[in-house]
């Protein structure tokens, strides 16, 4: 079982979550300006065929990021 | 129009926006063919500028505008070299391109994220105009934007545009020609630390408090700032314990909260059809199986195009130049100058122009792949694999294109935004077996590998050829992997990028891309190629002292004994042997002996620098084969060649393989070196490339020859 909070890299396709906070301050700046704001709803839309990177739907568009980058985004899940 | 400029001055307007916002399409629509490509000082980022004359409805000239197309950026906090260029132009008042007006191009379907940059620019209190691109498409899909409300909330003029259909261009020009109101809106409210801002203002007078915040966060990125001033700002930052990361994070959160309120008040989303269409397409194009199958299909088509389709116009260009140089040699008076023109300059020019079809075709493909949004998906499905070798998902296209020709392939690395990943791609791409190596491989394989030999079921010669391509590919990946540890990263490698919505390609922007790349190649790389071509011509057609005269006299006395044509070819061979190239070939013989080569091969190595396939022609000259196109007769001559000391054949399996490996690895292509210089803006990189590939070639040829001889 998962320990709360999840991070973004642990979502499965179709999971919807809310962004809580970030663990990497420098990485967070890039994510913030791309619209990944705490409180924003994200959906995991796609995982690349080799398992990495992933693509999320956020702020009205599709954003791709590597798993290592996604693991710095803490979330709480609202729907699987 | 800013206040202190008169109407006769050229108005400087910067175009900025997020990547994929349609900024470049708008730039093309605004400036047409009046574009120039230059460089931003000190970086490899292309600077595109273009002028337009604004006229009123009666057709009277109002004023001239110079547009500058800045690299795409998401914010005023630069994270890549491209973004740093945009940042400096927009924020550094001393920058030579500092604009009078900033036009932000925003994709209407992504309004929230696009407004981030807009609100930052507004707070610098400079004239800003927002161009909302693709609004008509959005409205058809059920999104309503209240322009008056949006313009009022931001405090700046808002123009609706569809750059693809040239909608909004006139209105934008009209606004730019007039007075642009300054917005007084604030979008984030951090408690201003008066003391901190005052001390910055004392060092560098800035007009607004946001500009002061910018200085505190980004002082290191201002090139024009004196190092002494930078260290003073640094001191203030540490004295006040100013945490710029926390500041920026807070700023972003507050800004987006405010943007959310603005968008809620002015935009109404009813439906989003474009997204569902993109989702459906993506289900196929990034599918674990079909995704790769389709990608392979795309690569196959691209490969066919630059390998086979381009061969026809290339042949026409070559024969055109051949006719022309034949015509010139007949009609020009014989002499040194005519020879220079025909064999030096004209040959060099032909060597430049011959690349144009491949460059045009490759960039047509790349422009379409970028325009439709497919390129981002290629990166998405290839990233994990390529990352292992220090490369990027986007390195795939340059590497595969390298199999046809490294010249256009290296030019296509521009799409890789990370400096280190782009450099590695540039450095290893020439290891892919290009089409110029094919004639060399064909000749050598037919020479040392018997055609009747079979490997399991396969023809051994075909197998050897395939092995050469595979060796090149492995060497490229292996070198990339090594360089991953040697090259220092200048910026963090991110893969945080938008997967844009699928769109039909825009043909005029495909055309602009082709035009631009061909022009840059002809004028920037072309100069170097022609210069080296002339040098090579001098080396192979001139000799020290009176050597050539002596040869001429010797054959004159023999002219009655032998048929004219045969005599000419033998004479030509002797001249080449005595030329500077021949002397160098003999001089390097001790160095290439351990690889199994004699001075004749040495000469070929030198002349091959013009292009690898010249090897075949040089061999024909050295072995006095009259018909240079006839590979079979060259092969027969080479097979008969005996080592004068031992009496054994020169072209043994060991020598053949050693020579093939040398051609596989060595950087013997002046055009590629010229393009690497043009793409990196430094001689350091082509030199490094020349050396590392040379060492790789020498060592592997040495080992193979010594093991097999």
């Amino acid at each position: 079982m998962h320990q709360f909070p999840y991070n973004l890299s642990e979502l499965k396709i179709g999971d919807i979550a809310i962004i809580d906070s970030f663990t990497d301050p420098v990485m967070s700046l890039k994510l913030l300006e791309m619209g990944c704001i705490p409180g924003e709803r994200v959906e995991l839309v796609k995982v690349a065929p080799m398992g990495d990177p992933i693509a999320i739907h956020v702020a009205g568009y599709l954003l791709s990021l590597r798993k290592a980058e996604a693991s710095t985004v803490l979330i709480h899940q609202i729907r699987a | 129009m800013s206040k202190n400029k008169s109407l006769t001055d050229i108005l400087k307007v910067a175009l900025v926006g997020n990547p994929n916002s349609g900024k470049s399409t708008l730039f093309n629509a605004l400036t047409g063919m009046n574009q120039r490509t230059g460089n931003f000082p000190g970086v490899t980022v292309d600077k595109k500028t273009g002028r337009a004359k604004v006229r009123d409805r009666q057709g009277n000239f109002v004023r001239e505008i110079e547009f500058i197309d800045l690299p795409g950026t998401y914010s005023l906090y630069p994270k890549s070299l491209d973004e740093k260029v945009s940042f400096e132009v927009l924020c550094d008042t001393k920058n030579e391109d500092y604009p009078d007006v900033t036009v932000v191009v925003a994709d209407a379907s992504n309004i929230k994220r696009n407004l981030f940059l807009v609100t930052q620019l507004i707070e610098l209190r400079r004239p800003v105009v927002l161009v909302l691109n693709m609004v008509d498409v959005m409205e058809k899909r059920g999104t309503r934007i209240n322009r008056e409300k949006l313009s009022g909330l931001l405090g700046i003029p808002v123009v609706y545009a569809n750059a693809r259909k040239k909608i909004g261009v006139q209105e934008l020009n009209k606004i730019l020609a007039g007075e642009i109101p300054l917005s007084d809106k604030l979008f984030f409210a951090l408690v201003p630390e008066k003391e901190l801002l005052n001390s910055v203002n004392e060092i560098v007078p800035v007009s607004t408090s946001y500009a002061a915040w910018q200085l505190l966060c980004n002082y290191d990125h201002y090139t024009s700032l004196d190092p002494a001033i930078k260290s003073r700002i640094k001191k203030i930052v540490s004295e006040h314990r100013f945490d710029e990361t926390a500041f920026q994070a807070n700023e972003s959160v507050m800004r987006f909260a405010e943007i959310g309120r603005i968008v809620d008040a002015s935009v109404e989303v009813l439906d989003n059809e474009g997204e569902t269409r993109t989702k459906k397409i993506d289900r196929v194009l990034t599918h674990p199986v079909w995704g790769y199958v389709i990608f392979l299909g795309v690569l196959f088509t691209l490969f066919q195009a630059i390998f086979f389709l381009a061969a026809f116009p290339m042949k026409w260009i070559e024969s055109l130049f051949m006719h022309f140089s034949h015509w010139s040699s007949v009609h020009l008076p014989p002499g040194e100058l005519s020879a220079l023109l025909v064999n030096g300059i004209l040959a060099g020019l032909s060597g430049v122009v011959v690349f144009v079809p491949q460059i045009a075709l490759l960039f047509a493909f790349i422009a379409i792949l970028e325009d439709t949004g497919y390129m981002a998906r290629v990166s998405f499905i290839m990233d994990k694999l390529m990352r292992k070798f220090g490369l990027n998902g986007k390195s795939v296209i340059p590497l595969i294109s390298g199999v046809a020709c490294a010249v256009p392939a290296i030019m296509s690395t521009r799409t890789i935004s990370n400096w280190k990943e782009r450099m590695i791609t540039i450095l290893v791409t020439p290891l892919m077996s290009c089409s110029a190596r094919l004639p060399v491989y064909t000749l050598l394989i037919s020479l040392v590998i018997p055609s009747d030999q079979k490997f399991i079921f396969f023809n051994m010669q075909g197998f050897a050829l395939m092995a050469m391509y595979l060796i090149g590919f492995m060497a490229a990946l292996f070198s990339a992997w090594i360089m991953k540890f040697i090259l220092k990263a200048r910026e963090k490698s991110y893969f945080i990028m938008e997967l844009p919505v699928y769109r039909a390609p825009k043909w005029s922007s495909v055309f602009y891309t082709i035009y631009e790349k061909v022009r840059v190649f002809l004028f920037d790389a072309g100069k170097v190629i022609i210069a080296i071509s002339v040098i090579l011509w001098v080396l192979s057609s001139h000799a020290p002292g009176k050597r050539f005269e002596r040869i001429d006299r010797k054959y004159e006395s023999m002219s009655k004994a032998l048929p004219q044509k045969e005599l000419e070819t033998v004479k030509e061979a002797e001249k080449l042997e005595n030329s500077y190239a021949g002397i160098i070939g003999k001089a390097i013989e001790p160095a290439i002996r351990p690889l199994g080569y004699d001075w004749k091969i040495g000469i070929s190595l030198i002349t091959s620098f013009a292009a690898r396939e010249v090897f075949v022609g040089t061999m024909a000259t050295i072995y006095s084969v009259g018909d240079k196109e006839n590979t079979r007769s060259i092969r027969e001559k080479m097979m008969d060649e005996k080592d004068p000391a031992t009496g054994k054949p020169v072209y043994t399996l060991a020598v053949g393989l050693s020579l093939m490996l040398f051609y596989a690895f060595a950087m013997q292509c002046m055009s590629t070196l010229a393009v690497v210089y043009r793409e990196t803006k430094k001689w350091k990189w082509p030199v490094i490339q020349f050396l590392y590939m040379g060492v790789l070639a020498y060592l592997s040829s040495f080992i193979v020859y010594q093991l097999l001889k």
Side-chain angles (χ1 to χ4, degrees):
Chain A
M1 279 305 287
H2 281 300
Q3 290 282 306
F4 279 95
Y6 286 95
N7 71 56
L8 195 54
S9 71
E10 294 167 25
L11 290 183
K12 307 249 170 331
I13 289 180
D15 284 359
I16 292 172
I18 301 284
I19 296 178
D20 263 344
S21 56
F22 303 94
T23 58
D24 180 336
V26 177
M27 186 82 74
S28 79
L29 294 181
K30 176 75 188 163
L31 289 161
L32 282 168
E33 71 176 41
M34 299 296 282
C36 300
I37 300 292
E40 188 78 30
R41 177 180 179 276
V42 293
E43 179 188 347
L44 187 78
V45 178
K46 200 186 303 295
V47 177
M50 283 176 243
D52 193 11
I54 60 170
I56 57 168
H57 194 267
V58 64
Y61 75 102
L62 208 55
L63 176 75
S64 90
L65 66 172
R66 290 175 179 160
K67 273 205 160 160
E69 292 155 351
S71 68
T72 69
V73 184
L74 303 183
I75 49 162
H76 54 264
Q77 194 172 5
I78 57 170
R79 204 183 72 206
Chain B
M1 182 189 85
S2 70
K3 287 157 203 95
N4 50 1
K5 278 215 164 188
S6 78
L7 280 171
T8 49
D9 284 326
I10 294 171
L11 187 76
K12 275 178 153 178
V13 175
L15 289 186
V16 277
N18 290 181
N20 307 310
S21 58
K23 185 174 54 68
S24 295
T25 317
L26 181 69
F27 176 75
N28 290 337
L30 283 164
T31 59
M33 296 298 284
N34 300 317
Q35 303 184 4
R36 265 175 1 105
T37 306
N39 301 315
F40 289 105
V43 286
T44 56
V45 180
D46 270 338
K47 171 171 138 185
K48 279 164 100 188
T49 52
R51 292 197 174 179
K53 289 194 171 78
V54 180
R55 292 174 195 284
D56 61 17
R57 220 170 272 168
Q58 282 75 43
N60 301 314
F61 174 75
V62 181
R63 76 175 310 175
E64 189 164 8
I65 301 178
E66 182 175 76
F67 291 97
I68 171 165
D69 186 14
L70 294 180
T73 185
Y74 291 102
S75 72
L76 290 181
Y77 294 111
K79 288 166 191 71
S80 69
L81 290 176
D82 273 18
E83 291 185 348
K84 192 170 163 327
V85 167
S86 296
F87 163 80
E88 277 196 69
V89 171
L90 295 168
C91 292
D92 188 349
T93 49
K94 293 202 185 73
N95 191 287
E96 59 169 39
D97 297 308
Y98 189 65
D100 301 311
V101 180
T102 307
V103 172
V104 193
V105 186
D107 181 347
S109 65
N110 239 322
I111 191 157
K112 261 191 193 172
R113 201 194 60 214
N114 280 274
L115 282 182
F116 190 78
L117 178 65
V118 178
T119 61
Q120 279 189 317
L121 285 164
I122 289 173
E123 286 182 45
L124 290 175
R125 304 290 173 239
R126 297 278 301 166
V128 178
V129 179
L130 171 61
V131 172
L132 269 184
N133 202 8
M134 312 287 280
V135 177
D136 48 350
V137 179
M138 287 300 295
E139 300 209 316
K140 246 181 243 158
R141 290 187 192 148
T143 298
R144 302 268 172 277
I145 300 177
N146 186 332
R147 167 151 65 157
E148 281 65 43
K149 208 157 206 177
L150 184 62
S151 171
L153 288 168
L154 294 170
I156 56 167
V158 176
V159 180
Y160 279 7
N162 185 330
R164 289 165 167 245
K165 295 176 187 157
K166 298 208 175 187
I167 297 169
V169 170
Q170 286 234 309
E171 192 189 344
L172 176 61
N173 273 331
K174 213 176 109 193
I175 290 175
L176 290 174
E179 190 89 23
I180 295 163
L182 283 182
S183 168
D184 58 357
K185 297 281 187 283
L186 262 173
F187 304 95
F188 83 111
L190 284 182
V191 184
E193 294 178 50
K194 278 263 154 49
E195 207 188 324
L196 180 62
L197 294 181
N198 283 345
S199 25
V200 177
N201 219 1
E202 268 166 37
I203 301 170
V204 189
V206 280
S207 48
T208 70
S209 53
Y210 190 58
W213 287 120
Q214 277 289 333
L215 257 178
L216 281 169
C217 294
N218 288 327
Y219 60 91
D220 228 12
H221 293 307
Y222 289 80
T223 315
S224 77
L225 222 53
D226 193 71
I229 289 178
K230 280 187 189 176
S231 63
R232 280 172 74 191
I233 299 177
K234 196 175 176 182
K235 221 176 121 199
I236 293 175
V237 167
S238 62
E239 268 172 14
H240 288 259
R241 300 219 172 93
F242 174 67
D243 181 350
E244 73 254 34
T245 311
F247 172 87
Q248 285 180 43
N250 277 328
E251 181 198 331
S252 305
V253 172
M254 286 183 174
R255 224 174 253 291
F256 269 116
E258 186 59 28
I259 289 168
R261 280 190 281 276
I262 292 171
V263 170
D264 285 344
S266 57
V267 182
E268 193 185 353
V269 184
L270 304 171
D271 190 19
N272 217 333
E273 187 192 306
E275 250 168 47
T276 44
R277 191 186 58 172
T278 291
K279 262 187 194 167
K280 275 182 200 156
I281 302 175
D282 261 341
R283 219 169 285 156
V284 182
L285 292 188
T286 58
H287 186 271
V289 178
W290 295 118
Y292 292 105
V293 171
I294 291 167
F295 179 50
L296 273 179
V298 169
L299 282 183
F300 179 77
T301 321
L302 179 136
F303 192 72
Q304 292 284 325
I306 47 180
F307 212 138
F308 297 105
L309 208 59
F312 297 100
M314 285 168 89
K315 235 175 237 158
W316 301 333
I317 291 170
E318 271 171 350
S319 69
L320 193 76
F321 270 96
M322 227 151 73
H323 282 299
F324 191 58
S325 70
H326 180 73
W327 181 88
S328 309
S329 57
V330 171
H331 286 83
L332 288 176
E336 193 67 351
L337 204 64
S338 306
L340 169 72
L341 193 73
V342 175
N343 298 322
I345 295 172
L346 217 54
L349 207 59
S350 137
V352 174
V353 178
V354 82
F355 285 112
V356 169
Q358 286 187 333
I359 291 172
L361 275 167
L362 177 62
F363 281 100
F365 259 92
I366 287 176
I368 293 169
L369 296 185
E370 287 271 358
D371 238 31
T372 50
Y374 183 61
M375 198 64 117
R377 271 73 181 183
V378 171
S379 307
F380 184 72
I381 62 172
M382 296 302 291
D383 181 68
K384 193 181 182 188
L385 189 69
M386 301 310 281
R387 210 190 318 161
K388 292 200 174 101
F389 300 101
L391 299 166
N392 183 295
K394 287 187 177 165
S395 309
V396 178
I397 298 281
L399 280 181
I400 299 297
S401 312
V403 178
C405 177
V407 169
I410 283 169
M411 289 170 74
S412 74
T413 58
R414 280 287 169 96
T415 51
I416 305 168
S417 60
N418 181 275
W419 177 85
K420 182 178 169 179
E421 290 165 349
R422 175 161 178 251
M423 277 334 264
I424 295 181
T425 312
I426 289 177
L427 288 174
V428 306
T429 293
L431 285 170
M432 302 294 287
S433 280
C434 66
S435 54
R437 288 176 176 103
L438 193 57
V440 181
Y441 291 160
T442 318
L443 176 65
L444 290 172
I445 286 174
S446 68
L447 202 61
V448 297
I449 292 170
S451 58
D452 48 11
Q453 209 166 319
K454 289 265 191 301
F455 179 79
I456 316 175
F457 291 111
F458 303 101
N459 174 302
M460 195 61 182
Q461 289 190 336
F463 189 77
L465 186 63
M466 195 187 79
M468 289 316 295
Y469 275 83
L470 226 67
I471 285 170
F473 179 62
M474 304 295 265
L477 285 187
F478 177 71
S479 310
W481 182 74
I482 300 269
M483 282 175 210
K484 186 172 106 173
F485 300 105
I486 297 172
L487 276 181
K488 271 195 228 94
R490 288 197 187 169
E491 67 233 304
K492 226 174 140 73
S493 164
Y494 285 113
F495 199 74
I496 303 173
M497 61 164 203
E498 181 183 2
L499 293 178
V501 175
Y502 287 109
R503 286 190 186 132
K506 166 83 178 141
W507 299 110
S508 73
S509 66
V510 173
F511 165 76
Y512 276 111
T513 307
I514 295 174
Y515 168 77
E516 193 44 48
K517 292 292 171 184
V518 168
R519 207 184 54 87
V520 161
F521 173 73
L522 285 182
F523 293 103
D524 284 15
K527 279 183 283 193
V528 183
I529 298 174
I530 290 179
I532 301 176
S533 163
V534 169
I535 293 172
L536 283 172
W537 167 74
V538 170
L539 287 181
S540 57
S541 65
H542 288 69
K546 298 228 178 288
R547 289 190 186 202
F548 278 7
E549 283 86 337
R550 246 175 275 141
I551 297 170
D552 278 336
R553 243 175 291 135
K554 177 177 144 197
Y555 282 92
E556 227 165 276
S557 56
M558 289 161 62
S559 63
K560 277 150 206 124
L562 278 163
Q564 189 63 31
K565 201 169 172 207
E566 211 169 297
L567 201 67
E568 275 300 314
T569 52
V570 180
K571 187 169 112 184
E572 216 180 297
E574 196 168 333
K575 273 193 170 177
L576 183 59
E577 185 185 337
N578 280 286
S579 69
Y580 287 106
I583 293 166
I584 299 173
K586 282 183 179 163
I588 62 170
E589 202 181 47
I592 55 176
R593 254 289 143 212
L595 312 184
Y597 312 157
D598 59 9
W599 61 267
K600 291 176 183 176
I601 298 176
I603 295 177
S604 301
L605 292 185
I606 291 159
T607 55
S608 284
F609 197 64
R612 291 180 179 92
E613 71 266 27
V614 170
F615 174 82
V616 181
T618 306
M619 280 293 161
T621 306
I622 291 175
Y623 291 111
S624 313
V625 180
D627 180 8
K628 287 181 186 164
E629 298 291 305
N630 193 340
T631 315
R632 187 179 293 168
S633 49
I634 303 171
R635 196 182 69 203
E636 278 162 12
K637 288 265 184 170
M638 286 171 77
M639 263 179 183
D640 292 342
E641 180 74 358
K642 299 273 190 311
D643 188 326
T646 58
K648 284 181 185 154
V650 170
Y651 294 96
T652 57
L653 182 68
V655 172
L657 290 184
S658 154
L659 202 50
M660 274 197 274
L661 278 180
F662 196 88
Y663 271 82
F665 296 150
M667 182 66 249
Q668 294 165 293
C669 177
M670 59 172 180
S671 310
T672 305
L673 287 175
V675 156
V676 171
Y677 166 66
R678 146 78 207 171
E679 289 298 310
T680 58
K681 306 268 157 68
K682 284 198 183 81
W683 279 110
K684 177 183 154 192
W685 295 107
V687 168
I688 287 176
Q689 190 170 41
F690 182 80
L691 291 178
Y692 104 81
M693 288 176 71
V695 169
L696 184 64
Y698 192 92
L699 286 181
S700 43
S701 297
F702 177 79
I703 292 167
V704 163
Y705 177 71
Q706 295 300 331
L707 284 178
L708 293 180
K709 79 170 175 183

